[in-house]
Amino acid sequence: MLFWALGAYNRLTRLRSSVVQAFGAVDAHLVRLIALLGEFDAVQGHSAAPAAAAGGAADSSEPPTPLLDPAKVAALRGATTQMGASLAVARSQPLQRDALAALTAARSVLDATWRSVVTEADGPGAREMVAPWSIRWEEHHAQIDLAVQVINHAAEQHDAAIHQFPARLLAWVFGFKAAKGL
């Protein structure tokens, strides 16, 4: 009985560890995405000046016209900040359902905000300026989606093990709870 309990406990902790490791990959990809959006935000401050200079007769006392809607860029900045905060909480508690639910919601808000910025880029030169960023966004998204599949699979295995009868008793004794995927 003791050896069974030891083996079951080791299996449960190994599965918990695999969920945490899978979250580490998602975390790394999301940090890269946030860095990409930081670069995009930094470029926004510099992209309006060349557009105004290209006009030739631009008055130097007038502020340059931004290529993208400033409200959309501000919303993207806010969604990026929300994503960073949710990621920090999830990083400290990668097995907590509420933290992962908040991260999933923040990711959805960020996706919707990015789509809004890209689809409504109508100013002169805006589509050309956004195109390379959209390509990089899609590349990051493909990597994130693969990492999310890995964490979801690890969470499913963990949850299946916790709900099996003998291991369920040990999970209850040690306070192991079901994990949530992204």
Side-chain angles (χ1 to χ4, degrees):
M1 182 75 150
L2 175 66
F3 292 114
W4 167 84
L6 184 61
Y9 176 79
N10 285 340
R11 178 174 179 240
L12 291 176
T13 55
R14 188 176 59 249
L15 290 171
R16 287 173 63 83
S17 177
S18 69
V19 173
V20 171
Q21 286 176 346
F23 179 79
V26 172
D27 180 24
H29 290 301
L30 289 175
V31 165
R32 287 186 196 116
L33 181 65
I34 291 171
L36 171 74
L37 293 171
E39 292 173 27
F40 178 79
D41 190 37
V43 168
Q44 296 311 301
H46 302 291
S47 64
D59 184 11
S60 62
S61 64
E62 291 182 21
T65 305
L67 292 176
L68 299 174
D69 180 7
K72 298 282 183 190
V73 174
L76 182 62
R77 191 178 302 121
T80 303
T81 302
Q82 176 191 12
M83 177 68 153
S86 296
L87 183 59
V89 170
R91 185 181 298 130
S92 68
Q93 305 169 350
L95 293 171
Q96 294 296 321
R97 296 179 77 79
D98 294 340
L100 293 179
L103 181 61
T104 301
R107 186 173 170 223
S108 296
V109 168
L110 185 63
D111 289 346
T113 307
W114 174 259
R115 279 193 304 275
S116 172
V117 167
V118 170
T119 57
E120 296 181 19
D122 292 331
R127 292 239 185 245
E128 294 79 15
M129 191 272 300
V130 171
W133 295 99
S134 292
I135 292 169
R136 290 177 64 192
W137 171 272
E138 293 303 324
E139 290 170 352
H140 281 286
H141 236 270
Q143 294 171 349
I144 291 168
D145 289 343
L146 289 174
V148 165
Q149 288 176 1
V150 171
I151 193 173
N152 287 344
H153 180 68
E156 288 171 9
Q157 288 182 329
H158 174 266
D159 293 349
I162 281 192
H163 294 299
Q164 292 173 347
F165 168 64
R168 178 182 237 162
L169 296 176
L170 282 176
W172 176 75
V173 168
F174 289 105
F176 294 165
K177 302 218 183 313
K180 181 184 185 319
L182 295 173

